[in-house]
Amino acid sequence: MGVLAARQRMGAAALILAASAILSRLMGLVRDKVISWQFGAGNEADMYFAAFVVPDIINYLLAGGFMSITIIPLLSRRFEEDEADAWRFFSCVFFWTLAISVLLTGAGILAADSLARLVAPGFSPEQWQRLAFFMRIILPAQIFFLCGACLMALLYLRRQFSVPALAPLIYNGCIIAGGLLLPHIAKARGMTGYCAGVTVGAALGAFALPLCVAAGGGLRLRLVWRHRLMRRFLITALPLMLGQTVIMLDEQFLRVFGSLAGDGAVSLLNYARRIAQVPVGLMGQAAAVASYPFLVALLTQGDKERFDQTLRTALRAGLGLIIPCALWMMASAWPILGVIFQGGRFGAAETQAAVPLTQIMLASTPLWIVYMVLVRAYYAHGDTLTPAVTGTVMTLACLPLYHYWAVPRGAWAIAALSGLSVSLYVLWLAGIWLRRQGGTAFAGLCALGLRAFFCALPGAALCWWLSACCLRTLPLPPIWAACVTLTLSGCVFALLFLPLSAIFAPSILESVWQRLRKKRAA
């Protein structure tokens, strides 16, 4: 069986990844629920979330999140031409990734005390010491993430989406288990168990699982340090490594500048972002990741017409669904946060403080969807430079605004600047694409977005009023009041949105109805 065997259709791949995204997001919310219940929005949680800044930047520096994007086009062509040489190229990338990730991780561990002061300038000396301790536990996870990213790219190339879909479930499960069990087994204090769970989850889910599956499929690793394709690989990957864009650093900015906005700000911004990113992960990630190998294949075949059609389908599917979802979530932010986070040390005051932050962040989610799909179209063309350069310029422009405008005004301004910077960056990228490639992929997209918005607006307005009334009048415990309100809100929104969308924007739910009709016919 060849390396490019076991092909799956794009729809099936998207379905697998969508199911994984749903389960992963749900497990991630369970993880955050446990953390918020135990630690609320206080110092310990702030330090835990801030501990990810340096590890995440190491991941960005080595383009770990984009490994499949940089290596798949080169590896795909090489496997078609010379399979033995393709394995040598893959081995060279793998062992260089391993060596550099070990060096950077070791340097981060040694410099953790100084880095803690840099990434959380608003913390106290005691908090810096605790933060450095957390960082030393979490940093080794990047070795497993980065090496695992190479293996994941190989599985994506084989169209084996099931294992990459399972990895985040194992990762989140280990974090939850570590946080709940380690304090009883090893008398670990505070959030130490969650930090240990991060590294264990990365080792098992992101590295060991794909390694076992790749080995079973004929993985051929050998110690190789030089290959003629490494230069082309680095030319492709370097813009991703050096171009730290607002998209990549968005979460880190919330943590760094949130530490200057007072106790609990880092945690509240993190919780709000988790909620806002749920629809992005569910509707954007699956379509973007699943479409990328197909976009590359279409360009390799020189079929620009089908490339534009595939890109247009992915953009329309994501945007048409996320706009009504975002509007409903903005209107129902209080019951959503109440159900997911409120309880234990996360009280009603923390819930109310997180509501406006969540609503602000949800406002930019449609453009997050556009970014996730569009940036892969750039990468399919072999253009990693344009997204990196434009994103780096936007990042440099935003840094003084974060420090001098947003921080003095508090967490809401940090959230607002985050959404604005991401939105402007995506619009800039879209403008460049239109100028270079034409508007075929974007045909009808704005009209679809407007129809989705106006179809969802009546339901969202009624849900907003309903949430406010229930918050004031329901004589129930907070969790039950939130559950009842969320159920009513969802039903009211569906009863208004579905008929309006069927009349004025039938294409929004067209794919959903088609799948339901096929199941009914079967």
Side-chain angles (χ1 to χ4, degrees):
M1 189 174 183
V3 171
L4 298 180
R7 294 180 179 272
Q8 294 170 302
R9 295 179 61 85
M10 180 176 161
L15 185 62
I16 292 171
L17 292 171
S20 164
I22 292 171
L23 292 174
S24 177
R25 294 288 171 172
L26 287 175
M27 189 170 287
L29 291 175
V30 170
R31 175 199 65 205
D32 289 341
K33 172 69 174 180
V34 174
I35 291 173
S36 66
W37 183 282
Q38 289 184 307
F39 301 100
N43 290 335
E44 188 77 0
D46 282 356
M47 289 182 286
Y48 171 75
F49 294 126
F52 286 89
V53 174
V54 172
D56 285 353
I57 289 176
I58 289 176
N59 193 288
Y60 300 152
L61 284 173
L62 295 185
F66 295 97
M67 184 62 72
S68 60
I69 288 168
T70 54
I71 198 175
I72 280 178
L74 296 173
L75 201 57
S76 175
R77 294 187 185 95
R78 202 67 202 122
F79 269 120
E80 292 178 356
E81 297 165 357
D82 185 342
E83 184 171 334
D85 190 58
W87 285 119
R88 287 193 290 273
F89 170 56
F90 178 81
S91 298
C92 189
V93 173
F94 180 87
F95 283 109
W96 271 113
T97 301
L98 174 62
I100 298 173
S101 63
V102 169
L103 288 174
L104 285 176
T105 298
I109 291 173
L110 292 175
D113 292 315
S114 300
L115 290 172
R117 291 170 169 78
L118 181 65
V119 302
F123 283 3
S124 67
E126 293 76 15
Q127 289 175 306
W128 285 331
Q129 186 176 4
R130 182 77 169 155
L131 174 58
F133 174 66
F134 284 170
M135 286 169 56
R136 290 189 174 101
I137 299 174
I138 292 174
L139 273 165
Q142 296 312 307
I143 299 172
F144 300 114
F145 277 129
L146 290 161
C147 294
C150 297
L151 300 169
M152 293 289 191
L154 182 64
L155 297 180
Y156 282 131
L157 182 63
R158 294 175 172 179
R159 308 298 195 266
Q160 294 177 332
F161 295 99
S162 299
V163 171
L166 186 61
L169 305 181
I170 297 173
Y171 173 66
N172 281 318
C174 288
I175 295 175
I176 296 170
L180 295 178
L181 298 178
L182 198 60
H184 303 287
I185 297 173
K187 305 298 182 184
R189 182 171 63 89
M191 300 200 69
T192 305
Y194 292 98
C195 296
V198 169
T199 298
V200 173
L204 296 179
F207 180 73
L209 178 64
L211 178 63
C212 291
V213 174
L219 174 66
R220 302 178 198 171
L221 272 180
R222 51 184 293 187
L223 193 61
V224 176
W225 296 105
R226 297 183 65 183
H227 192 279
R228 61 186 179 83
L229 283 180
M230 280 300 292
R231 182 180 177 183
R232 289 182 61 189
F233 171 73
L234 289 174
I235 291 172
T236 305
L238 273 175
L240 299 175
M241 297 176 182
L242 301 178
Q244 298 299 293
T245 70
V246 289
I247 293 285
M248 295 179 183
L249 295 178
D250 175 68
E251 190 171 8
Q252 314 316 322
F253 284 166
L254 298 181
R255 292 165 176 167
V256 172
F257 294 105
S259 73
L260 295 167
D263 290 343
V266 174
S267 301
L268 289 172
L269 287 165
N270 183 82
Y271 293 137
R273 191 179 188 277
R274 297 284 195 207
I275 298 297
Q277 287 294 305
V278 167
V280 174
L282 296 182
M283 299 169 196
Q285 185 173 354
V289 173
S291 66
Y292 179 67
F294 296 91
L295 291 173
V296 171
L298 290 171
L299 279 184
T300 302
Q301 298 163 12
D303 195 342
K304 187 179 185 305
E305 182 178 349
R306 286 181 61 200
F307 177 93
D308 288 340
Q309 182 182 357
T310 302
L311 178 58
R312 181 171 177 263
T313 300
L315 286 169
R316 289 174 64 88
L319 195 66
L321 289 174
I322 199 169
I323 289 176
C325 181
L327 282 173
W328 173 72
M329 291 180 69
M330 290 172 71
S332 306
W334 164 68
I336 291 173
L337 288 163
V339 169
I340 295 175
F341 292 126
Q342 189 167 330
R345 297 187 64 181
F346 196 96
E350 285 78 10
T351 300
Q352 290 301 320
V355 166
L357 305 181
T358 305
Q359 292 168 335
I360 290 169
M361 292 185 185
L362 281 166
S364 63
T365 52
L367 286 165
W368 274 92
I369 290 284
V370 174
Y371 166 79
M372 295 182 74
V373 177
L374 180 60
V375 77
R376 282 168 173 79
Y378 273 100
Y379 296 153
H381 275 279
D383 183 4
T384 56
L385 188 61
T386 299
V389 171
T390 54
T392 302
V393 171
M394 186 65 69
T395 301
L396 294 174
C398 287
L399 281 174
L401 291 175
Y402 270 108
H403 190 273
Y404 294 107
W405 180 82
V407 169
R409 286 164 177 79
W412 73 266
I414 295 173
L417 184 55
S418 165
L420 180 62
S421 61
V422 167
S423 300
L424 292 175
Y425 170 52
V426 177
L427 291 173
W428 191 0
L429 276 184
I432 294 172
W433 182 273
L434 288 169
R435 190 172 66 251
R436 292 179 181 175
Q437 305 294 338
T440 306
F442 288 90
L445 194 64
C446 290
L448 177 69
L450 286 173
R451 289 198 300 271
F453 177 81
F454 285 111
C455 288
L457 194 58
L462 188 55
C463 288
W464 192 301
W465 175 83
L466 180 66
S467 294
C469 290
C470 290
L471 176 62
R472 293 193 305 267
T473 60
L474 276 182
L476 294 172
I479 182 64
W480 291 111
C483 287
V484 170
T485 305
L486 191 60
T487 303
L488 290 174
S489 174
C491 292
V492 166
F493 184 81
L495 287 172
L496 287 173
F497 172 71
L498 291 178
L500 287 173
S501 65
I503 296 170
F504 298 107
S507 61
I508 292 176
L509 298 174
E510 183 179 355
S511 60
V512 177
W513 300 134
Q514 285 178 351
R515 287 174 185 170
L516 289 176
R517 283 195 291 267
K518 287 180 181 178
K519 288 183 179 180
R520 190 177 299 171

